[in-house]
């Protein structure tokens, strides 16, 4: 996926998408995985566990509650990707429609150590 295409998809009005878009505009690295598709509600369980872990650790995060709601709302095949801020301080996970034509949800977490976590 080209950077400009992802930037267009992240041009929403929620805080996590805006932050991910800003990071991309500032030269952040990104990846969209081509691994097999899975229904969004299946991923919601995994990401709910990650969210609880973040909460226990006190990690600052953006949009996780809303992203989980959106993933559970309407089960659909999705693709997953990440934007990693240039200074590695934030990682944004985004969920795209199967054909990558629309953003389903986006959430971010501040990394306490600044180290790569993929």
């Amino acid at each position: 996926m080209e950077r400009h295409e992802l930037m267009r998809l992240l041009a929403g009005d929620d805080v996590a998408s805006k932050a991910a878009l800003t990071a991309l505009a500032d030269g952040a690295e990104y990846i969209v995985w081509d691994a097999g598709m899975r229904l969004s509600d299946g991923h919601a369980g995994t990401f709910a566990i990650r969210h609880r872990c973040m909460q226990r650790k006190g990690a600052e995060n953006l949009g996780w509650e809303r992203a989980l709601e959106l993933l559970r709302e309407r089960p659909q095949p999705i693709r997953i990707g990440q934007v990693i801020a240039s200074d590695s301080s934030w990682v944004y996970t985004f969920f795209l429609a199967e054909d990558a034509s629309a953003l389903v949800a986006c959430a971010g977490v501040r990394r306490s150590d600044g180290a790569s976590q993929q």
Side-chain angles (χ1 to χ4, degrees):
M1 171 172 276
E2 297 291 328
R3 181 177 295 268
H4 71 280
E5 294 173 287
L6 181 55
M7 291 177 77
R8 180 184 56 78
L9 293 173
L10 289 169
D13 60 355
D14 67 285
V15 67
S17 295
K18 286 180 182 179
L21 178 59
T22 298
L24 275 175
D26 289 341
E29 292 185 32
Y30 71 96
I31 185 168
V32 179
W33 286 287
D34 288 326
M37 303 296 162
R38 198 166 142 200
L39 292 180
S40 57
D41 60 339
H43 283 294
T46 301
F47 283 92
I49 292 167
R50 287 186 184 179
H51 183 243
R52 285 192 298 273
C53 289
M54 285 185 277
Q55 288 177 314
R56 277 196 305 271
K57 292 178 181 181
E60 184 179 354
N61 63 82
L62 297 172
W64 278 94
E65 291 86 3
R66 181 67 181 140
L68 291 170
E69 287 174 21
L70 291 169
L71 291 172
R72 289 180 176 131
E73 224 170 61
R74 194 180 86 234
Q76 61 182 300
I78 57 168
R79 298 176 72 179
I80 299 175
Q82 284 187 334
V83 172
I84 302 166
S86 296
D87 65 359
S88 297
S89 61
W90 282 86
V91 175
Y92 303 94
T93 301
F94 56 87
F95 306 89
L96 303 176
E98 181 178 23
D99 63 0
S101 64
L103 180 70
V104 175
C106 184
V109 63
R110 181 184 293 276
R111 292 162 61 172
S112 59
D113 62 357
S116 180
Q117 299 175 344
Q118 288 190 27

